[in-house]
């Protein structure tokens, strides 16, 4: 059998004594806990999927100098063809969760792939830090690590600079010695941190000169001493059964505030050190930001297709598909799903060769980001509009089917144009979980914000657009006539 990371290996690696808090209590073992275990197993299933003999070529590759195959997420494409091959693997992973696990391992792998492509940028800032990053990338790739990241500071007073926030809010360097630095303070929002091996800590938000204490990036194992994970409410814990909540019971990847309570970072895990510009450069001067968000669009292409499928089935369930105004709405949804795919194909086809590496078109990626963060809530709204009360007129839980009296009423009342009562209830519960449950609602917030608020994503789009071409067209038109010539023409 080919040597490749398995689900069992991943689960075992999470039994590492990490400090996770939920509902006021310390969680002993995330792999066994009611609030996390199914999501953890869904993450493990990703590895079990790629290790299947029939999936090995699709999903994995063998890095240089390694005797193990690892996820294609870690592959650094050298050409358009390699990029497409890698994307197909990422789409196959996303399909296992209908695109509902935003921070599957390929997200961070993509971020680091892009940053590693720009290793010269790290070198410009510090040879030592660049070496630490390159070594870490090699280690993470060969170990097929599941990483998460916290690159955003906790919201507190947005009108103040990060360096002016109250002490101990934003993670900062508080000490250093010959073995490394010590950090204290918080970062948000470590999605998937309960099921990741390590956390990548950095600063995506701009820092000012003088804020060098905040200007670092590093990677830490989730069980690092002093690293505390404060989980948000678990939707999985409240999901009664798979039948009632097929998504939230299994794909609640979780989000958490990460508090660094005097956590030691060894020098060889430190990639940016007291360097405000390097914090920006590691994302924006390397292809890092482009690659991490390209992965997000790959995942979204699957999720949008899933949502379009839900919409279509809802109309079939209530017998409205062929009403002209309904099929028009479905046509619009289909066009929106098509647009997400087209943008994805566009950023690949018009990618650029940067030295050895092939990189997706940055402005097309930012265009997709701006458009899809706006699109997602509109898609959800359309599905709600198509559904009416059917999403709510449902048995309280699967237990109602176990009561013969209620089961008989369900049989009589859950009528459908296309589904028997059991299937209709099963389907509509899945639909509500996807778009209306607390889990579904968190997903709307996620798609609107995971890559930054609109003023941030529009800022990226503004900066990376080819304005010279656009304004050049305007200038060309204006230069094709002038006032004096026109006056002369009128006089003749
Ligand atoms: C579900 C979820 C999961 C997440 N997971 C992760 C993760 O795994 N890792 C991670 O690092 N981060 C994560 N995040 C954080 C995410 O990256 C941030 O939410 C995002 O960057 C926006 O930053 P913010 O929340 O501070 O919002 P803000 O930047 O404060 O924006 C909120 C709103 O405030 C207003 N606003 C604030 N400042 C300005 C301004 N200067 N100009 C104009 N308007 C302004 C706007 O109306 C804006 O929409 C996650 C977020 C969510 C919701």
């Amino acid at each position: 059998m080919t040597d490749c990371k398995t689900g069992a290996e991943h689960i075992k690696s999470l039994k590492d004594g990490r400090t996770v808090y939920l509902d006021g209590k310390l969680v002993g073992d995330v792999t066994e806990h009611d609030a996390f275990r199914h999501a953890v197993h869904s993450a493990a299933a990703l590895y079990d999927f790629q290790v299947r003999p029939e999936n090995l070529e699709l999903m994995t590759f063998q890095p240089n100098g390694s005797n193990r195959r690892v996820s294609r997420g870690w592959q650094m494409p050298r050409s358009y063809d390699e990029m497409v091959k890698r994307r197909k693997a990422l789409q196959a992973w996303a399909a296992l969760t209908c695109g509902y696990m935003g921070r599957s391992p390929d997200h961070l792998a993509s971020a680091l792939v892009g940053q590693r492509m720009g290793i010269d940028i790290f070198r410009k800032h510090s040879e030592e830090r660049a070496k630490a990053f390159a070594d870490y990338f090699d280690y993470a790739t060969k170990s097929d690590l599941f990483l998460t990241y916290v690159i955003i500071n906790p919201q507190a007073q947005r009108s103040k600079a990060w360096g002016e926030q109250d002490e101990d809010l934003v993670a900062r360097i508080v000490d250093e010695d010959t073995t490394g630095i010590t950090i204290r303070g918080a970062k948000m929002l470590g999605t998937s941190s309960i099921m990741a091996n390590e956390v990548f800590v950095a600063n995506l938000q701009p820092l000012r000169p003088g804020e060098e204490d905040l200007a670092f990036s590093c990677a830490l194992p989730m069980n690092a001493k002093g690293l505390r994970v404060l989980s948000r409410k678990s939707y999985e814990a409240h999901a009664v059964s798979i039948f009632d909540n097929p998504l939230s019971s299994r794909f609640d990847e979780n989000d958490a505030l990460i508090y660094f309570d005097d956590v030691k970072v060894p020098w060889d895990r430190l990639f940016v050190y007291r360097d405000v510009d390097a914090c920006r450069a590691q994302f924006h001067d390397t292809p890092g930001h482009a690659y991490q968000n390209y992965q997000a669009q790959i995942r979204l292409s699957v999720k949008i297709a899933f949502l379009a499928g839900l919409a279509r089935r809802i109309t079939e369930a209530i017998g409205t598909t062929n009403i002209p105004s309904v099929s028009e709405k479905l046509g619009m949804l289909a066009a929106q799903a098509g647009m997400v795919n087209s943008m994805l194909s566009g950023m690949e086809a018009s990618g650029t060769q940067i030295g050895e590496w092939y990189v997706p078109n940055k402005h097309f990626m930012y265009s997709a980001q701006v458009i899809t963060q706006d699109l997602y809530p509109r898609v959800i709204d359309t599905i709600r509009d198509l559904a009416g009360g059917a999403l709510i007129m449902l048995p309280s839980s699967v237990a109602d089917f176990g009561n013969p009296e209620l089961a008989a009423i369900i049989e009589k009342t859950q009528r459908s144009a296309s589904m028997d009562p059991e299937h209709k209830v099963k389907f509509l519960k899945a639909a509500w979980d996807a778009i209306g449950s607390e889990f579904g609602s968190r997903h709307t917030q996620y798609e609107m914000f995971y890559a930054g608020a609109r003023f941030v994503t529009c800022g990226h789009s503004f900066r990376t657009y080819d304005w010279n071409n656009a304004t050049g067209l305007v200038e060309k038109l204006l230069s094709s006539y002038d006032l004096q010539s026109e006056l002369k023409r009128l006089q003749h």
Side-chain angles (χ1 to χ4, degrees), residues 288-345:
H289 204 237
Y291 256 96
Q292 74 194 47
N293 290 301
Y294 162 58
Q295 182 279 343
Q297 292 298 322
I298 293 172
R299 175 198 53 81
L300 186 67
S301 69
V302 173
K303 194 176 187 181
I304 289 285
F306 172 75
L307 289 171
L310 272 190
R312 167 98 198 204
R313 281 276 180 271
I314 286 173
T315 65
E316 288 167 2
I318 61 175
T320 57
T321 315
N322 295 321
I323 297 173
S325 62
V326 170
S327 46
E328 182 187 323
K329 282 189 183 118
L330 288 174
M332 177 58 81
L333 277 178
Q336 288 164 334
M339 180 176 68
V340 172
N341 279 331
S342 323
M343 290 191 294
L344 194 55
S345 301

Side-chain angles (χ1 to χ4, degrees), residues 279-399:
C279 284
R280 178 200 58 76
Q282 83 176 125
F283 289 99
H284 295 299
D285 292 352
T286 71
H289 204 237
Y291 256 96
Q292 74 194 47
N293 290 301
Y294 162 58
Q295 182 279 343
Q297 292 298 322
I298 293 172
R299 175 198 53 81
L300 186 67
S301 69
V302 173
K303 194 176 187 181
I304 289 285
F306 172 75
L307 289 171
L310 272 190
R312 167 98 198 204
R313 281 276 180 271
I314 286 173
T315 65
E316 288 167 2
I318 61 175
T320 57
T321 315
N322 295 321
I323 297 173
S325 62
V326 170
S327 46
E328 182 187 323
K329 282 189 183 118
L330 288 174
M332 177 58 81
L333 277 178
Q336 288 164 334
M339 180 176 68
V340 172
N341 279 331
S342 323
M343 290 191 294
L344 194 55
S345 301
M347 65 186 90
E348 291 169 344
S350 59
T352 40
Q353 198 76 40
I354 301 187
E356 216 180 325
W357 314 116
Y358 191 75
V359 177
N361 182 302
K362 212 171 178 178
H363 185 258
F364 284 9
M365 186 280 292
Y366 286 131
S367 310
Q369 205 171 62
V370 169
I371 284 167
T372 55
Q373 76 183 157
D374 237 31
L375 179 68
Y376 192 86
R378 285 197 281 130
V379 166
I380 299 299
D381 204 47
T382 304
I383 299 175
R384 283 173 174 263
D385 188 36
L386 288 170
L391 292 169
I392 306 298
M393 192 197 78
L394 290 168
S396 54
S397 79
V398 64

Side-chain angles (χ1 to χ4, degrees), residues 103 149-152 155 158 188-191 205 255 442 445-446 449-450 452-453 455:
R103 294 289 152 84
Y149 60 21
V150 280
I151 54 179
I152 298 292
Q155 273 177 321
R158 294 295 269 118
M188 75 175 200
L189 247 169
T191 300
Q205 291 157 308
D255 314 283
R442 176 264 179 201
Q445 202 70 6
Y446 181 80
F449 280 101
Y450 74 82
F455 75 92

Side-chain angles (χ1 to χ4, degrees), residues 27-239:
V27 172
D29 179 347
V30 287
T31 71
E32 307 271 334
H33 195 280
D34 283 351
F36 309 117
R37 66 195 157 113
H38 293 309
V40 165
H41 280 80
S42 296
L46 300 176
Y47 294 106
D48 283 337
F49 179 78
Q50 69 176 18
V51 81
R52 278 197 226 150
E54 68 274 23
N55 293 338
L56 267 181
E57 178 53 29
L58 170 70
M59 300 303 297
T60 66
F61 78 110
Q62 192 151 348
N64 282 341
S66 172
N67 52 8
R68 288 196 112 183
R69 290 184 75 88
V70 302
S71 157
R72 281 202 189 271
W74 292 106
Q75 193 168 1
M76 297 167 72
R78 289 184 162 84
S79 65
Y80 169 77
D81 287 346
E82 281 189 11
M83 173 174 272
V84 171
K85 206 166 185 185
R86 179 179 181 275
R87 183 247 294 159
K88 286 183 179 162
L90 273 45
Q91 274 177 324
W93 252 6
L96 298 179
T97 63
C98 309
Y100 275 79
M101 277 190 158
R103 294 289 152 84
S104 46
D106 46 323
H107 184 72
L108 253 289
S110 299
L112 297 197
V113 154
Q115 293 189 20
R116 178 63 182 80
M117 287 175 173
I119 193 69
D120 286 345
I121 300 293
F122 284 82
R123 288 200 185 107
K124 239 170 66 184
H125 287 267
S126 158
E127 280 289 345
E128 264 180 310
R129 299 302 112 227
K131 181 175 182 323
F133 181 75
D135 289 349
Y136 182 75
F137 180 81
D138 197 44
Y139 161 71
T141 300
K142 288 178 180 159
S143 317
D144 213 349
L145 281 190
F146 186 160
L147 278 147
T148 183
Y149 60 21
V150 280
I151 54 179
I152 298 292
N153 297 321
Q155 273 177 321
Q157 296 199 53
R158 294 295 269 118
S159 52
K160 281 187 176 177
W162 296 116
E164 293 166 352
Q165 305 286 334
D166 289 344
E167 218 185 319
D168 295 352
L169 175 76
V170 181
R172 68 176 70 217
I173 302 170
V174 292
D175 199 6
E176 67 180 73
D177 59 25
T178 52
T179 59
I181 62 166
T182 302
I183 56 174
R184 184 186 305 151
K187 288 273 178 187
M188 75 175 200
L189 247 169
T191 300
S192 278
S193 52
I194 53 119
M195 60 177 92
N197 299 117
E198 303 217 352
V199 58
F200 186 78
V201 190
N203 262 281
L204 184 61
Q205 291 157 308
L207 294 174
R208 301 187 311 189
E211 295 178 331
E212 281 73 18
D213 285 352
L214 280 63
F216 65 93
S217 96
C218 63
L220 289 162
M222 286 304 301
N223 66 353
K225 189 163 173 270
L227 194 160
R228 297 169 197 275
V229 180
L230 275 68
S231 165
R232 63 147 162 77
K233 174 180 174 179
S234 160
Y235 310 136
E236 178 176 329
H238 296 268

